[in-house]
Amino acid sequence: MSLLFTDAPALRLAARAKGFSSPTAGHCPGRTQANMVFLPASHAADFRAFAAENAQALPILEELAPGRTEARLAPGSDVRFDCPGYVICEHGRTREAADLSEIWREDFVSFLVGCSFTFEQALLAAGLPVRHIETGVNVPMYRTNKMMTPVGPFGGPMVVSMRPVPAWRVSEAVLVTAAFPQVHGAPVAVGAPEALGIADLSRPDFGDPVDIRPGEVPVFWACGVSGLSALMTARLPVCATHAPGKMFVTDASENDYRRPVVAPSAPGPSPQATT
Amino acid sequence: MSLLFTDAPALRLAARAKGFSSPTAGHCPGRTQANMVFLPASHAADFRAFAAENAQALPILEELAPGRTEARLAPGSDVRFDCPGYVICEHGRTREAADLSEIWREDFVSFLVGCSFTFEQALLAAGLPVRHIETGVNVPMYRTNKMMTPVGPFGGPMVVSMRPVPAWRVSEAVLVTAAFPQVHGAPVAVGAPEALGIADLSRPDFGDPVDIRPGEVPVFWACGVSGLSALMTARLPVCATHAPGKMFVTDASENDYRRPVVAPSAPGPSPQATT
Protein backbone atom coordinates (compact mmCIF):
# COMPACT_ATOMS: atom_id res chain seq x y z
CA MET A 1 0.00 0.00 0.00
CA SER A 2 1.68 3.19 -1.15
CA LEU A 3 -0.31 5.92 0.60
CA LEU A 4 -1.57 5.38 4.10
CA PHE A 5 -3.58 8.02 5.90
CA THR A 6 -3.23 8.03 9.65
CA ASP A 7 -5.29 11.17 10.28
CA ALA A 8 -9.04 10.95 9.72
CA PRO A 9 -9.66 14.66 8.96
CA ALA A 10 -6.83 14.54 6.41
CA LEU A 11 -8.35 11.52 4.69
CA ARG A 12 -11.77 13.20 4.57
CA LEU A 13 -10.31 16.39 3.12
CA ALA A 14 -8.39 14.41 0.50
CA ALA A 15 -11.58 12.60 -0.48
CA ARG A 16 -13.46 15.91 -0.57
CA ALA A 17 -10.79 17.36 -2.89
CA LYS A 18 -11.07 14.27 -5.15
CA GLY A 19 -7.47 13.43 -4.36
CA PHE A 20 -8.32 10.09 -2.74
CA SER A 21 -10.83 7.58 -4.14
CA SER A 22 -9.56 4.24 -2.76
CA PRO A 23 -10.98 1.78 -0.23
CA THR A 24 -10.32 2.89 3.34
CA ALA A 25 -9.40 -0.44 5.01
CA GLY A 26 -6.08 -0.10 6.79
CA HIS A 27 -6.23 3.70 6.81
CA CYS A 28 -6.45 5.73 10.01
CA PRO A 29 -5.73 2.81 12.38
CA GLY A 30 -7.78 3.06 15.55
CA ARG A 31 -10.49 5.26 14.01
CA THR A 32 -14.09 4.16 13.62
CA GLN A 33 -15.19 3.79 10.00
CA ALA A 34 -18.82 4.07 8.93
CA ASN A 35 -21.11 2.98 6.15
CA MET A 36 -23.44 5.77 4.99
CA VAL A 37 -27.10 5.69 4.04
CA PHE A 38 -28.76 8.82 2.66
CA LEU A 39 -32.51 9.03 2.06
CA PRO A 40 -35.46 11.44 2.20
CA ALA A 41 -36.76 12.27 5.68
CA SER A 42 -40.12 10.73 4.73
CA HIS A 43 -38.46 7.30 4.87
CA ALA A 44 -36.16 7.88 7.83
CA ALA A 45 -38.45 6.35 10.45
CA ASP A 46 -38.90 3.18 8.41
CA PHE A 47 -35.18 2.87 7.81
CA ARG A 48 -34.42 3.49 11.49
CA ALA A 49 -36.83 0.71 12.47
CA PHE A 50 -35.47 -1.57 9.74
CA ALA A 51 -31.91 -1.06 11.00
CA ALA A 52 -33.01 -1.83 14.56
CA GLU A 53 -34.58 -5.10 13.38
CA ASN A 54 -31.36 -6.01 11.57
CA ALA A 55 -28.90 -4.52 14.00
CA GLN A 56 -26.03 -6.92 13.36
CA ALA A 57 -25.96 -5.82 9.72
CA LEU A 58 -27.01 -2.20 10.27
CA PRO A 59 -25.87 -0.86 13.65
CA ILE A 60 -26.62 2.87 13.56
CA LEU A 61 -23.81 4.95 15.08
CA GLU A 62 -25.32 8.36 14.34
CA GLU A 63 -28.28 9.90 12.54
CA LEU A 64 -28.05 13.42 11.13
CA ALA A 65 -31.15 15.62 11.13
CA PRO A 66 -32.64 16.49 7.69
CA GLY A 67 -30.30 18.68 5.69
CA ARG A 68 -27.43 18.35 8.19
CA THR A 69 -24.10 17.51 6.58
CA GLU A 70 -21.62 17.54 9.49
CA ALA A 71 -21.39 14.39 11.61
CA ARG A 72 -20.96 14.71 15.35
CA LEU A 73 -18.42 11.85 15.15
CA ALA A 74 -16.37 13.82 12.61
CA PRO A 75 -16.24 17.56 13.39
CA GLY A 76 -15.69 19.64 10.28
CA SER A 77 -16.90 16.87 8.00
CA ASP A 78 -19.30 17.05 5.08
CA VAL A 79 -20.95 13.69 4.57
CA ARG A 80 -21.83 14.60 0.94
CA PHE A 81 -18.19 14.79 -0.11
CA ASP A 82 -15.95 13.06 2.46
CA CYS A 83 -16.28 9.42 1.38
CA PRO A 84 -13.79 8.35 -1.33
CA GLY A 85 -16.80 7.27 -3.42
CA TYR A 86 -20.59 7.05 -3.42
CA VAL A 87 -23.35 4.95 -4.96
CA ILE A 88 -26.54 6.73 -6.06
CA CYS A 89 -29.62 4.53 -6.18
CA GLU A 90 -32.63 5.64 -8.23
CA HIS A 91 -35.69 3.38 -8.41
CA GLY A 92 -33.42 0.46 -7.45
CA ARG A 93 -30.83 1.16 -10.14
CA THR A 94 -27.33 2.09 -9.01
CA ARG A 95 -24.48 4.16 -10.38
CA GLU A 96 -21.21 5.33 -8.86
CA ALA A 97 -20.56 8.99 -8.11
CA ALA A 98 -17.65 10.99 -6.73
CA ASP A 99 -19.93 12.98 -4.40
CA LEU A 100 -23.61 13.67 -3.75
CA SER A 101 -23.82 17.29 -4.98
CA GLU A 102 -25.93 16.25 -7.95
CA ILE A 103 -28.74 14.66 -5.92
CA TRP A 104 -28.49 16.30 -2.48
CA ARG A 105 -31.76 17.67 -1.11
CA GLU A 106 -32.43 19.65 2.04
CA ASP A 107 -34.74 16.90 3.33
CA PHE A 108 -32.05 14.19 3.13
CA VAL A 109 -31.29 12.31 6.33
CA SER A 110 -27.85 10.72 6.72
CA PHE A 111 -27.17 7.59 8.76
CA LEU A 112 -23.72 6.47 9.91
CA VAL A 113 -23.69 2.68 10.19
CA GLY A 114 -20.94 0.66 11.89
CA CYS A 115 -18.26 -0.91 9.68
CA SER A 116 -16.09 -3.95 10.34
CA PHE A 117 -12.98 -2.07 9.16
CA THR A 118 -13.13 -0.63 12.68
CA PHE A 119 -12.09 -3.89 14.36
CA GLU A 120 -9.40 -4.81 11.85
CA GLN A 121 -6.70 -3.15 13.95
CA ALA A 122 -7.77 -5.38 16.86
CA LEU A 123 -7.48 -8.44 14.59
CA LEU A 124 -4.00 -7.32 13.49
CA ALA A 125 -3.00 -6.62 17.10
CA ALA A 126 -3.96 -10.21 17.94
CA GLY A 127 -1.70 -11.44 15.14
CA LEU A 128 -4.62 -12.44 12.94
CA PRO A 129 -4.43 -11.89 9.19
CA VAL A 130 -6.42 -9.23 7.32
CA ARG A 131 -5.70 -10.36 3.78
CA HIS A 132 -7.18 -7.38 1.92
CA ILE A 133 -5.00 -5.00 3.94
CA GLU A 134 -1.93 -7.22 3.39
CA THR A 135 -2.51 -7.19 -0.35
CA GLY A 136 -3.85 -3.64 -0.74
CA VAL A 137 -7.23 -4.49 -2.25
CA ASN A 138 -10.84 -3.87 -1.27
CA VAL A 139 -12.47 -6.38 1.12
CA PRO A 140 -14.55 -9.05 -0.67
CA MET A 141 -18.29 -8.72 -0.01
CA TYR A 142 -21.09 -11.11 -0.94
CA ARG A 143 -24.87 -11.09 -1.05
CA THR A 144 -26.17 -14.02 1.00
CA ASN A 145 -29.33 -16.10 0.98
CA LYS A 146 -30.30 -14.66 4.38
CA MET A 147 -33.13 -12.17 3.92
CA MET A 148 -33.21 -9.30 6.38
CA THR A 149 -36.38 -8.71 8.41
CA PRO A 150 -38.36 -6.22 6.29
CA VAL A 151 -39.79 -2.94 7.59
CA GLY A 152 -41.77 -0.68 5.25
CA PRO A 153 -40.13 -0.73 1.80
CA PHE A 154 -36.78 -1.94 3.19
CA GLY A 155 -35.59 -5.54 3.02
CA GLY A 156 -33.38 -7.68 0.80
CA PRO A 157 -30.46 -10.02 1.32
CA MET A 158 -27.87 -9.50 4.04
CA VAL A 159 -24.43 -8.68 2.66
CA VAL A 160 -21.31 -10.06 4.35
CA SER A 161 -17.61 -9.28 4.23
CA MET A 162 -15.09 -12.14 4.24
CA ARG A 163 -11.67 -12.53 5.81
CA PRO A 164 -9.73 -15.82 5.63
CA VAL A 165 -8.57 -17.05 9.06
CA PRO A 166 -6.36 -20.06 9.88
CA ALA A 167 -8.57 -22.93 11.11
CA TRP A 168 -6.59 -23.05 14.36
CA ARG A 169 -7.37 -19.38 15.11
CA VAL A 170 -11.06 -18.96 14.27
CA SER A 171 -12.06 -18.79 17.95
CA GLU A 172 -9.69 -15.88 18.48
CA ALA A 173 -11.21 -14.04 15.51
CA VAL A 174 -14.68 -14.63 16.98
CA LEU A 175 -13.71 -13.44 20.46
CA VAL A 176 -11.73 -10.39 19.29
CA THR A 177 -14.58 -9.13 17.11
CA ALA A 178 -17.38 -10.08 19.52
CA ALA A 179 -16.03 -7.22 21.64
CA PHE A 180 -17.21 -4.74 18.98
CA PRO A 181 -20.97 -5.34 18.68
CA GLN A 182 -21.72 -1.93 17.14
CA VAL A 183 -19.39 -2.52 14.22
CA HIS A 184 -20.91 -5.93 13.34
CA GLY A 185 -19.39 -7.91 16.23
CA ALA A 186 -18.72 -11.64 15.96
CA PRO A 187 -18.87 -13.37 12.56
CA VAL A 188 -22.34 -14.24 11.29
CA ALA A 189 -20.97 -17.39 9.67
CA VAL A 190 -17.80 -19.47 9.36
CA GLY A 191 -16.93 -21.79 6.49
CA ALA A 192 -19.43 -23.41 4.14
CA PRO A 193 -19.99 -20.50 1.70
CA GLU A 194 -22.54 -22.65 -0.14
CA ALA A 195 -24.71 -22.58 2.98
CA LEU A 196 -24.76 -18.80 2.68
CA GLY A 197 -25.75 -18.94 -0.99
CA ILE A 198 -22.28 -17.88 -2.14
CA ALA A 199 -21.47 -19.86 -5.27
CA ASP A 200 -17.91 -18.68 -5.88
CA LEU A 201 -15.71 -16.92 -3.33
CA SER A 202 -13.43 -15.75 -6.14
CA ARG A 203 -16.26 -13.64 -7.57
CA PRO A 204 -17.46 -11.28 -4.82
CA ASP A 205 -20.55 -9.13 -5.45
CA PHE A 206 -18.66 -6.07 -4.19
CA GLY A 207 -14.95 -5.40 -3.64
CA ASP A 208 -12.10 -7.65 -4.68
CA PRO A 209 -11.35 -11.36 -4.28
CA VAL A 210 -8.60 -12.42 -1.86
CA ASP A 211 -6.63 -15.66 -1.64
CA ILE A 212 -7.63 -18.30 0.87
CA ARG A 213 -4.45 -20.15 1.79
CA PRO A 214 -4.16 -23.81 2.75
CA GLY A 215 -5.40 -24.32 6.30
CA GLU A 216 -7.53 -21.18 6.25
CA VAL A 217 -11.32 -21.00 6.35
CA PRO A 218 -13.51 -18.15 5.09
CA VAL A 219 -14.99 -16.17 7.98
CA PHE A 220 -17.98 -13.94 7.26
CA TRP A 221 -19.05 -10.81 9.12
CA ALA A 222 -22.28 -8.87 8.59
CA CYS A 223 -21.57 -5.90 6.33
CA GLY A 224 -23.08 -2.43 6.20
CA VAL A 225 -23.40 -2.78 2.43
CA SER A 226 -26.60 -4.52 3.53
CA GLY A 227 -27.83 -0.90 3.57
CA LEU A 228 -27.29 -0.66 -0.19
CA SER A 229 -29.09 -3.98 -0.52
CA ALA A 230 -32.02 -2.47 1.39
CA LEU A 231 -32.07 0.68 -0.77
CA MET A 232 -32.06 -1.39 -3.98
CA THR A 233 -35.00 -3.34 -2.59
CA ALA A 234 -36.89 -0.18 -1.56
CA ARG A 235 -36.67 1.37 -5.06
CA LEU A 236 -37.04 4.92 -3.74
CA PRO A 237 -36.86 7.60 -6.45
CA VAL A 238 -33.53 8.76 -5.08
CA CYS A 239 -31.24 7.74 -2.25
CA ALA A 240 -27.55 6.91 -1.84
CA THR A 241 -24.81 5.17 0.10
CA HIS A 242 -21.03 5.32 0.27
CA ALA A 243 -19.33 3.08 -2.33
CA PRO A 244 -18.62 -0.36 -0.85
CA GLY A 245 -15.25 -0.31 0.92
CA LYS A 246 -14.91 3.48 0.59
CA MET A 247 -16.08 4.44 4.04
CA PHE A 248 -16.76 7.61 5.94
CA VAL A 249 -13.84 7.71 8.40
CA THR A 250 -14.77 9.35 11.70
CA ASP A 251 -12.62 10.78 14.47
CA ALA A 252 -14.11 8.35 17.01
CA SER A 253 -11.74 5.84 18.57
CA GLU A 254 -12.42 2.16 17.89
CA ASN A 255 -12.20 1.78 21.67
CA ASP A 256 -15.41 3.80 22.03
CA TYR A 257 -17.14 0.74 20.57
CA ARG A 258 -15.35 -1.94 22.59
CA ARG A 259 -17.68 -3.81 24.96
CA PRO A 260 -17.37 -6.75 27.36
CA VAL A 261 -18.04 -10.02 25.56
CA VAL A 262 -21.14 -11.80 26.78
CA ALA A 263 -21.70 -15.51 26.22
CA PRO A 264 -25.17 -16.28 24.87
CA SER A 265 -27.08 -17.85 27.74
CA ALA A 266 -30.64 -17.41 26.51
CA PRO A 267 -31.86 -20.05 24.09
CA GLY A 268 -31.29 -19.30 20.42
CA PRO A 269 -34.10 -18.67 17.99
CA SER A 270 -35.04 -22.31 17.57
CA PRO A 271 -33.99 -24.41 20.58
CA GLN A 272 -35.23 -27.66 19.06
CA ALA A 273 -34.51 -26.87 15.44
CA THR A 274 -31.60 -29.25 15.23
CA THR A 275 -33.07 -32.39 16.76
CA MET B 1 -30.99 -43.26 23.67
CA SER B 2 -32.76 -45.85 25.79
CA LEU B 3 -31.26 -45.39 29.25
CA LEU B 4 -30.43 -41.92 30.50
CA PHE B 5 -28.94 -41.34 33.92
CA THR B 6 -29.81 -38.03 35.54
CA ASP B 7 -28.14 -38.73 38.88
CA ALA B 8 -24.33 -38.80 38.97
CA PRO B 9 -23.94 -41.10 42.01
CA ALA B 10 -26.39 -43.56 40.40
CA LEU B 11 -24.38 -43.58 37.17
CA ARG B 12 -21.14 -44.16 39.08
CA LEU B 13 -22.65 -47.02 41.08
CA ALA B 14 -24.03 -48.62 37.91
CA ALA B 15 -20.58 -48.40 36.30
CA ARG B 16 -19.00 -49.83 39.46
CA ALA B 17 -21.45 -52.77 39.36
CA LYS B 18 -20.59 -53.36 35.66
CA GLY B 19 -24.19 -52.56 34.76
CA PHE B 20 -23.25 -49.56 32.62
CA SER B 21 -20.37 -49.45 30.14
CA SER B 22 -21.52 -46.83 27.61
CA PRO B 23 -20.25 -43.34 26.73
CA THR B 24 -21.47 -40.73 29.21
CA ALA B 25 -22.33 -37.82 26.85
CA GLY B 26 -25.90 -36.68 27.47
CA HIS B 27 -26.06 -38.35 30.86
CA CYS B 28 -26.47 -36.40 34.11
CA PRO B 29 -27.24 -33.04 32.45
CA GLY B 30 -25.66 -30.17 34.34
CA ARG B 31 -22.97 -32.30 36.01
CA THR B 32 -19.28 -31.86 35.36
CA GLN B 33 -17.67 -34.81 33.61
CA ALA B 34 -13.98 -35.59 33.88
CA ASN B 35 -11.23 -37.37 32.02
CA MET B 36 -9.03 -39.47 34.33
CA VAL B 37 -5.28 -39.97 34.33
CA PHE B 38 -3.72 -42.49 36.74
CA LEU B 39 0.03 -42.79 37.18
CA PRO B 40 2.72 -43.52 39.77
CA ALA B 41 3.45 -40.70 42.24
CA SER B 42 7.02 -40.56 40.93
CA HIS B 43 5.68 -39.03 37.70
CA ALA B 44 2.95 -36.85 39.20
CA ALA B 45 4.99 -33.64 39.31
CA ASP B 46 6.00 -33.98 35.67
CA PHE B 47 2.42 -34.68 34.62
CA ARG B 48 1.13 -31.74 36.66
CA ALA B 49 3.62 -29.43 34.97
CA PHE B 50 2.84 -30.94 31.56
CA ALA B 51 -0.88 -30.34 32.07
CA ALA B 52 -0.21 -26.74 33.09
CA GLU B 53 1.79 -26.20 29.90
CA ASN B 54 -1.07 -27.64 27.84
CA ALA B 55 -3.96 -26.36 29.89
CA GLN B 56 -6.50 -26.07 27.07
CA ALA B 57 -6.17 -29.82 26.44
CA LEU B 58 -5.52 -30.88 30.04
CA PRO B 59 -7.22 -28.59 32.56
CA ILE B 60 -6.80 -30.28 35.94
CA LEU B 61 -9.95 -30.10 38.05
CA GLU B 62 -8.68 -32.19 40.97
CA GLU B 63 -5.65 -34.22 41.96
CA LEU B 64 -5.98 -37.10 44.43
CA ALA B 65 -3.13 -37.83 46.82
CA PRO B 66 -1.26 -41.15 46.29
CA GLY B 67 -3.50 -44.10 47.03
CA ARG B 68 -6.63 -41.98 47.44
CA THR B 69 -9.63 -43.31 45.50
CA GLU B 70 -12.48 -40.95 46.46
CA ALA B 71 -12.73 -37.68 44.56
CA ARG B 72 -13.68 -34.52 46.43
CA LEU B 73 -15.90 -33.62 43.45
CA ALA B 74 -17.76 -36.93 43.80
CA PRO B 75 -18.33 -37.94 47.44
CA GLY B 76 -18.63 -41.69 47.84
CA SER B 77 -16.88 -42.36 44.55
CA ASP B 78 -14.13 -44.84 43.78
CA VAL B 79 -12.13 -43.63 40.81
CA ARG B 80 -10.83 -47.17 40.15
CA PHE B 81 -14.30 -48.49 39.33
CA ASP B 82 -16.69 -45.62 38.61
CA CYS B 83 -15.92 -44.91 34.97
CA PRO B 84 -17.89 -47.05 32.48
CA GLY B 85 -14.55 -48.16 31.02
CA TYR B 86 -10.79 -47.75 31.34
CA VAL B 87 -7.67 -47.95 29.20
CA ILE B 88 -4.54 -49.45 30.74
CA CYS B 89 -1.28 -48.32 29.16
CA GLU B 90 1.89 -50.39 29.67
CA HIS B 91 5.12 -49.26 28.02
CA GLY B 92 3.01 -47.29 25.53
CA ARG B 93 0.75 -50.22 24.60
CA THR B 94 -2.93 -49.92 25.45
CA ARG B 95 -5.76 -52.30 26.28
CA GLU B 96 -9.29 -51.75 27.53
CA ALA B 97 -10.35 -52.80 31.01
CA ALA B 98 -13.59 -52.71 33.00
CA ASP B 99 -11.83 -51.35 36.09
CA LEU B 100 -8.35 -50.78 37.50
CA SER B 101 -8.30 -53.50 40.20
CA GLU B 102 -5.71 -55.49 38.28
CA ILE B 103 -3.10 -52.74 38.14
CA TRP B 104 -3.93 -50.46 41.08
CA ARG B 105 -1.04 -49.55 43.34
CA GLU B 106 -0.98 -47.60 46.57
CA ASP B 107 1.37 -45.03 45.03
CA PHE B 108 -1.02 -44.20 42.16
CA VAL B 109 -2.03 -40.58 41.80
CA SER B 110 -5.34 -39.80 40.08
CA PHE B 111 -6.02 -36.63 38.11
CA LEU B 112 -9.48 -35.39 37.15
CA VAL B 113 -9.20 -33.43 33.88
CA GLY B 114 -11.98 -31.24 32.45
CA CYS B 115 -14.18 -32.73 29.72
CA SER B 116 -16.13 -30.94 27.00
CA PHE B 117 -19.21 -33.08 27.72
CA THR B 118 -19.67 -30.61 30.57
CA PHE B 119 -20.66 -27.73 28.26
CA GLU B 120 -22.87 -29.77 25.97
CA GLN B 121 -25.97 -28.87 27.97
CA ALA B 122 -25.12 -25.21 27.43
CA LEU B 123 -24.83 -25.86 23.68
CA LEU B 124 -28.20 -27.63 23.70
CA ALA B 125 -29.75 -24.83 25.77
CA ALA B 126 -28.63 -22.37 23.08
CA GLY B 127 -30.35 -24.52 20.46
CA LEU B 128 -27.09 -25.75 18.99
CA PRO B 129 -26.79 -29.36 17.82
CA VAL B 130 -24.80 -32.04 19.62
CA ARG B 131 -24.91 -34.74 16.98
CA HIS B 132 -23.47 -37.62 19.03
CA ILE B 133 -26.11 -37.08 21.71
CA GLU B 134 -28.87 -36.82 19.06
CA THR B 135 -27.77 -40.09 17.53
CA GLY B 136 -26.71 -41.93 20.69
CA VAL B 137 -23.10 -42.61 19.76
CA ASN B 138 -19.73 -41.72 21.23
CA VAL B 139 -18.23 -38.34 20.30
CA PRO B 140 -15.70 -38.54 17.43
CA MET B 141 -12.12 -37.79 18.54
CA TYR B 142 -9.02 -37.30 16.40
CA ARG B 143 -5.28 -37.08 16.89
CA THR B 144 -4.02 -33.83 15.36
CA ASN B 145 -0.71 -32.65 13.94
CA LYS B 146 -0.36 -30.21 16.85
CA MET B 147 2.27 -31.49 19.26
CA MET B 148 1.77 -30.62 22.90
CA THR B 149 4.55 -28.81 24.76
CA PRO B 150 6.56 -31.66 26.32
CA VAL B 151 7.53 -31.88 30.00
CA GLY B 152 9.59 -34.81 31.28
CA PRO B 153 8.46 -37.98 29.49
CA PHE B 154 5.08 -36.49 28.55
CA GLY B 155 4.25 -35.12 25.11
CA GLY B 156 2.57 -36.29 21.94
CA PRO B 157 -0.19 -35.01 19.66
CA MET B 158 -3.17 -33.04 20.96
CA VAL B 159 -6.44 -34.92 20.60
CA VAL B 160 -9.63 -33.04 19.67
CA SER B 161 -13.33 -33.82 19.81
CA MET B 162 -15.56 -32.74 16.91
CA ARG B 163 -19.13 -31.45 16.77
CA PRO B 164 -20.71 -30.28 13.51
CA VAL B 165 -22.24 -26.79 13.77
CA PRO B 166 -24.26 -24.89 11.14
CA ALA B 167 -22.02 -22.32 9.44
CA TRP B 168 -24.41 -19.54 10.48
CA ARG B 169 -24.05 -20.47 14.17
CA VAL B 170 -20.34 -21.09 14.69
CA SER B 171 -19.87 -17.82 16.60
CA GLU B 172 -22.55 -18.87 19.09
CA ALA B 173 -20.79 -22.19 19.64
CA VAL B 174 -17.52 -20.33 20.23
CA LEU B 175 -19.06 -17.87 22.68
CA VAL B 176 -21.11 -20.46 24.60
CA THR B 177 -18.12 -22.72 25.17
CA ALA B 178 -15.61 -19.90 25.76
CA ALA B 179 -17.48 -19.44 29.04
CA PHE B 180 -16.15 -22.82 30.25
CA PRO B 181 -12.35 -22.49 30.10
CA GLN B 182 -11.71 -25.33 32.57
CA VAL B 183 -13.54 -27.86 30.42
CA HIS B 184 -11.61 -26.97 27.23
CA GLY B 185 -13.36 -23.64 26.52
CA ALA B 186 -13.64 -22.25 23.01
CA PRO B 187 -12.89 -24.47 20.01
CA VAL B 188 -9.21 -24.91 19.15
CA ALA B 189 -10.06 -25.04 15.45
CA VAL B 190 -12.95 -24.63 13.02
CA GLY B 191 -13.23 -26.21 9.57
CA ALA B 192 -10.28 -27.37 7.45
CA PRO B 193 -9.64 -30.80 9.04
CA GLU B 194 -6.68 -31.25 6.67
CA ALA B 195 -4.99 -28.33 8.41
CA LEU B 196 -5.22 -30.31 11.65
CA GLY B 197 -3.72 -33.41 10.06
CA ILE B 198 -7.08 -35.21 10.01
CA ALA B 199 -7.28 -37.15 6.77
CA ASP B 200 -10.81 -38.54 7.06
CA LEU B 201 -13.48 -37.25 9.43
CA SER B 202 -15.45 -40.46 8.94
CA ARG B 203 -12.65 -42.44 10.58
CA PRO B 204 -12.05 -40.97 14.04
CA ASP B 205 -9.10 -42.24 16.11
CA PHE B 206 -11.42 -42.66 19.11
CA GLY B 207 -15.20 -42.78 19.43
CA ASP B 208 -17.68 -42.94 16.57
CA PRO B 209 -18.13 -40.97 13.35
CA VAL B 210 -21.09 -38.57 13.08
CA ASP B 211 -22.79 -37.07 10.02
CA ILE B 212 -21.91 -33.57 8.92
CA ARG B 213 -25.03 -32.19 7.24
CA PRO B 214 -25.12 -29.68 4.37
CA GLY B 215 -24.35 -26.22 5.66
CA GLU B 216 -22.52 -27.50 8.72
CA VAL B 217 -18.82 -27.18 9.45
CA PRO B 218 -16.72 -29.40 11.72
CA VAL B 219 -15.82 -27.61 14.95
CA PHE B 220 -12.97 -29.00 17.04
CA TRP B 221 -12.44 -28.68 20.79
CA ALA B 222 -9.36 -29.75 22.73
CA CYS B 223 -10.01 -33.16 24.29
CA GLY B 224 -8.82 -34.72 27.52
CA VAL B 225 -7.93 -37.87 25.60
CA SER B 226 -4.79 -35.85 24.98
CA GLY B 227 -3.89 -37.35 28.38
CA LEU B 228 -3.93 -40.84 26.86
CA SER B 229 -1.83 -39.49 24.02
CA ALA B 230 0.67 -38.23 26.62
CA LEU B 231 0.74 -41.57 28.48
CA MET B 232 1.34 -43.48 25.24
CA THR B 233 4.23 -41.10 24.52
CA ALA B 234 5.69 -41.47 28.04
CA ARG B 235 5.81 -45.30 27.84
CA LEU B 236 5.68 -45.71 31.63
CA PRO B 237 5.64 -49.35 32.80
CA VAL B 238 2.05 -48.94 33.95
CA CYS B 239 -0.50 -46.13 33.98
CA ALA B 240 -4.11 -45.70 32.90
CA THR B 241 -6.93 -43.41 31.82
CA HIS B 242 -10.70 -43.66 31.51
CA ALA B 243 -11.83 -45.10 28.15
CA PRO B 244 -12.43 -42.28 25.62
CA GLY B 245 -16.00 -41.02 25.99
CA LYS B 246 -16.63 -43.05 29.16
CA MET B 247 -16.04 -40.32 31.67
CA PHE B 248 -15.90 -40.01 35.43
CA VAL B 249 -19.13 -38.11 36.18
CA THR B 250 -18.81 -35.85 39.22
CA ASP B 251 -21.45 -34.20 41.40
CA ALA B 252 -20.11 -30.73 40.58
CA SER B 253 -22.43 -28.41 38.68
CA GLU B 254 -21.34 -27.30 35.23
CA ASN B 255 -22.03 -23.79 36.51
CA ASP B 256 -19.10 -24.11 38.91
CA TYR B 257 -16.92 -23.88 35.80
CA ARG B 258 -18.72 -21.02 34.05
CA ARG B 259 -16.57 -17.88 33.78
CA PRO B 260 -16.95 -14.45 32.15
CA VAL B 261 -15.76 -14.52 28.56
CA VAL B 262 -12.70 -12.38 27.92
CA ALA B 263 -11.77 -11.14 24.47
CA PRO B 264 -8.10 -11.72 23.67
CA SER B 265 -6.44 -8.32 23.75
CA ALA B 266 -2.81 -9.30 24.12
CA PRO B 267 -1.02 -10.23 20.91
CA GLY B 268 -1.27 -13.87 19.89
CA PRO B 269 1.72 -16.21 19.81
CA SER B 270 3.03 -14.92 16.48
CA PRO B 271 1.90 -11.37 15.75
CA GLN B 272 3.66 -11.21 12.42
CA ALA B 273 3.28 -14.85 11.43
CA THR B 274 0.64 -14.19 8.83
CA THR B 275 2.14 -11.27 6.98
Side-chain angles (χ1 to χ4, degrees), chain B residues 154-243:
Chain B
F154 301 107
M158 179 191 287
V159 176
V160 294
S161 62
M162 190 279 286
R163 294 162 187 79
V165 175
W168 285 108
R169 305 196 64 188
V170 169
S171 286
E172 288 172 82
V174 171
L175 291 166
V176 165
T177 58
F180 294 92
Q182 282 180 283
V183 292
H184 303 305
V188 289
V190 178
E194 70 283 0
L196 283 64
I198 299 171
D200 185 351
L201 286 174
S202 72
R203 297 182 62 187
D205 294 301
F206 309 97
D208 301 314
V210 297
D211 283 344
I212 300 180
R213 297 180 185 160
E216 293 181 336
V217 296
V219 179
F220 302 94
W221 281 266
C223 177
V225 174
S226 301
L228 176 56
S229 175
L231 295 187
M232 292 172 72
T233 301
R235 299 177 170 272
L236 308 184
V238 62
C239 52
T241 69
H242 70 293

Side-chain angles (χ1 to χ4, degrees), chain A residues 11 42 62 93 134 152 164 166 168 189 203 240 262:
Chain A
L11 184 150
S42 55
E62 182 178 351
R93 289 189 304 277
E134 288 169 21
W168 285 108
R203 297 181 60 187
V262 178

Side-chain angles (χ1 to χ4, degrees), chain A residues 78-143:
Chain A
D78 189 322
V79 294
R80 303 170 296 180
F81 297 93
D82 290 359
C83 295
Y86 292 85
V87 170
I88 293 168
C89 185
E90 292 158 317
H91 301 287
R93 289 189 304 277
T94 61
R95 59 186 168 92
E96 300 229 356
D99 62 54
L100 296 185
S101 54
E102 179 197 346
I103 60 142
W104 185 258
R105 294 171 7 186
E106 280 308 302
D107 70 334
F108 264 29
V109 170
S110 305
F111 291 92
L112 278 67
V113 172
C115 171
S116 57
F117 288 173
T118 307
F119 57 52
E120 289 180 337
Q121 292 305 313
L123 289 170
L124 291 169
L128 290 157
V130 181
R131 185 70 25 83
H132 59 276
I133 292 181
E134 288 169 21
T135 54
V137 300
N138 200 351
V139 67
M141 294 164 272
Y142 307 86
R143 285 192 192 88

Side-chain angles (χ1 to χ4, degrees), chain A residues 122 124-131 134 144-146 158 160 166-172 174-176 178-179 186-192 194-196 213-217 258-275, chain B residues 122 124-131 134 144-146 158 160 166-172 174-176 178-179 186-192 194-196 213-217 258-275:
Chain A
L124 291 169
L128 290 157
V130 181
R131 185 70 25 83
E134 288 169 21
T144 69
N145 57 10
K146 176 167 274 192
M158 179 192 287
V160 294
W168 285 108
R169 306 197 63 188
V170 169
S171 284
E172 288 172 82
V174 171
L175 292 166
V176 165
V188 290
V190 178
E194 69 284 1
L196 283 63
R213 298 180 184 159
E216 293 181 336
V217 296
R258 201 186 283 269
R259 298 285 179 274
V261 176
V262 178
S265 56
S270 53
Q272 300 304 322
T274 56
T275 60
Chain B
L124 291 169
L128 290 158
V130 180
R131 186 70 25 83
E134 288 170 19
T144 69
N145 57 10
K146 177 168 275 193
M158 179 191 287
V160 294
W168 285 108
R169 305 196 64 188
V170 169
S171 286
E172 288 172 82
V174 171
L175 291 166
V176 165
V188 289
V190 178
E194 70 283 0
L196 283 64
R213 297 180 185 160
E216 293 181 336
V217 296
R258 201 186 284 269
R259 298 284 180 277
V261 176
V262 178
S265 56
S270 52
Q272 300 303 326
T274 56
T275 58

